[in-house]
Amino acid sequence: MVIGKVINRVISTRKYDTLQGYKLLVIEPYNGENKEWFVAADTIGAGEGELVLVSFGSAVQHALHQHAPIDAVVVGIVDQAPDGL
Amino acid sequence: MVIGKVINRVISTRKYDTLQGYKLLVIEPYNGENKEWFVAADTIGAGEGELVLVSFGSAVQHALHQHAPIDAVVVGIVDQAPDGL
Amino acid sequence: MVIGKVINRVISTRKYDTLQGYKLLVIEPYNGENKEWFVAADTIGAGEGELVLVSFGSAVQHALHQHAPIDAVVVGIVDQAPDGL
Amino acid sequence: MVIGKVINRVISTRKYDTLQGYKLLVIEPYNGENKEWFVAADTIGAGEGELVLVSFGSAVQHALHQHAPIDAVVVGIVDQAPDGL
Amino acid sequence: MVIGKVINRVISTRKYDTLQGYKLLVIEPYNGENKEWFVAADTIGAGEGELVLVSFGSAVQHALHQHAPIDAVVVGIVDQAPDGL
């Protein structure tokens, strides 16, 4: 998993039906030089500015109420950035 | 998921049978320094120049009407680039 | 998926049994700075010098006649490089 | 798999329910220039400072007592760094 | 798949039970600038110094006698480096 910061949302009116109902969050990686943001579905109610834990790949399906073509999902809000990092 | 721009199409007459019927779109990543384009199957009817949401890996199978050796799929048209990004 | 060029073959006499029967092709990515070649199984009859469409990950199993520890597979011959790319 | 060093823990009170019970470890890759740390669930009882073996992707589910949206897991404590590396 | 050279072994006495019985090999990528070694399970009896074919991800499970949290596996010994590469 990686820790990232919620910096925005993506609005996609025309999308695959099973994506309906998921907030699509723009996440910027918290650590590392590569600050390339990506999009993850929200299952926790994360808000802009919050530090979140994101999981990728097939594991994502275990956080969805039905199978959907989603490859990244927010699975937790990080209480605080690991100290010193 | 990532956001990308549809910049072209790939024509592949000789291809694995379950790829038949899918438009194969050339997608350039919208953000980040790495502008390396890749190929994704279209399930939404995305056109050239549109900003799209792309999903990768095993999740892709949940956007196909039957299993196929496809590892990237367009799952949404982005209404507009997330502001400020 | 990515587009690559078939530049060679790999001969592996001692290999896992379910890999038997697959030609193992050396593929060089067609676009991008990273020209690091990789190995993909052939299911289409691609020849050296041809431009091919390659799929990765779990999707690969949907192009094999039986499950095998193969993580990259050629799924199409590209008619011609997408113009201008 | 990769070898990494446990350098911290992540506390996430608000998280997806099936993540409950797993210690979330911050792991720094042991080798390579890219020292970007990541988060992995612990199934072995690894402690801070220990060298661990980490597995990623769908294989992770085979180390969990129930399916969960976890994409990286500690699967071993490394007795000692491979000599000369 | 990638071709790599077996350069060492990893000893992990305390590990997840289904990893028992697998030799854990340290593999250095044969080609490309990134010589970052990784760890793969051996199913072929590969020895130090040998060039091997390595598969990653969910495909790995198809080379194991039972499911295990292993994400990279040696699936072949390469007879000789593809000429000219």
Side-chain angles (χ1 to χ4, degrees), chain A residues 9 20 28 30-32 35 40 44-45 53-54 63 65 68-69 75 83:
Chain A
R9 273 187 69 176
Q20 299 294 349
E28 183 180 81
Y30 172 78
N31 67 309
K35 292 297 181 191
I44 295 284
L53 187 66
V54 182
H65 47 268
V75 291
D83 46 77

Side-chain angles (χ1 to χ4, degrees), chain C residues 62-80:
Chain C
H62 304 305
L64 307 181
H65 46 269
Q66 65 168 343
H67 280 316
I70 292 173
D71 64 13
V73 70
V74 172
V75 291
I77 313 268
V78 176
D79 292 20
Q80 65 181 47

